[in-house]
Amino acid sequence: KGCRNCYAEAMNYWRGTGFAFTPEALRRGRIEPFLDETYLRKPLHLRKPRRIFWNDMTDLFGDWVPDEWIARHFAIFALTSQHTHIILTKRPERMRDYLNDPETPRRIAFMASRIRNAVIPADLLPSWPLPNVWGLVSVEDQASADERIPALLETSLAVRGVSVEPLIGP
């Protein structure tokens, strides 16, 4: 229900495909998710510290996003500790399960090694959870807050937050 009132959904109709981002649209091939490697790697070339809000038009933890893409994002986050990386999701259970998995730091170290073309042992990565990653959940009313916030609180994140937009109920 929150997606129907989200700015990303509205923008998709006038700047995107015009198709609702639904499982049906994915199955019919109307929408094809892709990972923009140029955009993903941009923080590697930015020296001045910045706050970077990722995936503002999608959800990194959507079921259409392969685990490898999530690992690639977190590898970039780990390799660019001068930046603050902000991720927002309506799917905190997947974020919790992914980030709390004891194998995740090793997966991220492996992916960071591939990105840098050099071996980066997991113990050379910043502490876990990554101190420069802010994980937020989006809530649109009390029911979604009651459902999503507990999963957020159980997630291995250095900084947690809540976005209440679009607020469509108490």
Side-chain angles (χ1 to χ4, degrees):
K1 82 187 149 178
C3 291
R4 287 190 304 266
N5 298 284
C6 178
Y7 72 90
E9 185 80 7
M11 284 182 67
N12 178 53
Y13 284 106
W14 60 274
R15 286 184 57 192
T17 64
F19 295 110
F21 201 92
T22 63
E24 178 67 18
L26 284 167
R27 273 193 303 277
R28 290 183 176 214
R30 292 180 175 162
I31 298 168
E32 185 176 335
F34 68 96
L35 180 61
D36 184 338
E37 283 289 335
T38 302
Y39 185 77
L40 179 65
R41 290 172 176 261
K42 188 173 182 181
L44 295 170
H45 308 290
L46 302 173
R47 297 293 160 229
K48 182 179 175 186
R50 300 177 187 194
R51 283 191 187 139
I52 303 168
F53 178 40
W54 290 91
N55 306 110
D56 62 329
M57 297 296 290
T58 189
D59 190 329
L60 183 61
F61 292 97
D63 58 6
W64 60 89
V65 179
D67 283 352
E68 180 184 345
W69 292 4
I70 298 171
R72 292 184 74 72
H73 277 78
F74 274 85
I76 295 293
F77 303 165
L79 292 169
T80 58
S81 59
Q82 75 273 26
H83 303 310
T84 300
H85 300 279
I86 304 167
I87 50 175
L88 176 65
T89 187
K90 286 186 174 118
R91 294 155 182 91
E93 295 85 6
R94 183 167 184 215
M95 180 170 67
R96 177 197 60 212
D97 295 348
Y98 185 86
L99 296 178
N100 289 1
D101 182 340
E103 291 299 312
T104 294
R106 261 193 291 281
R107 276 195 293 269
I108 291 168
F110 174 74
M111 193 60 69
S113 297
R114 288 180 52 197
I115 289 169
R116 281 285 192 217
N117 291 322
V119 174
I120 301 172
D123 60 349
L124 290 183
L125 284 176
S127 61
W128 190 258
L130 296 175
N132 62 326
V133 176
W134 298 4
L136 291 79
V137 294
S138 178
V139 300
E140 58 273 5
D141 55 21
Q142 190 62 52
S144 62
D146 291 345
E147 177 185 330
R148 296 179 191 143
I149 292 173
L152 172 69
L153 294 174
E154 297 168 351
T155 304
S156 292
L157 288 161
V159 177
R160 296 175 192 87
V162 178
S163 171
V164 279
E165 189 274 328
L167 189 57
I168 58 173

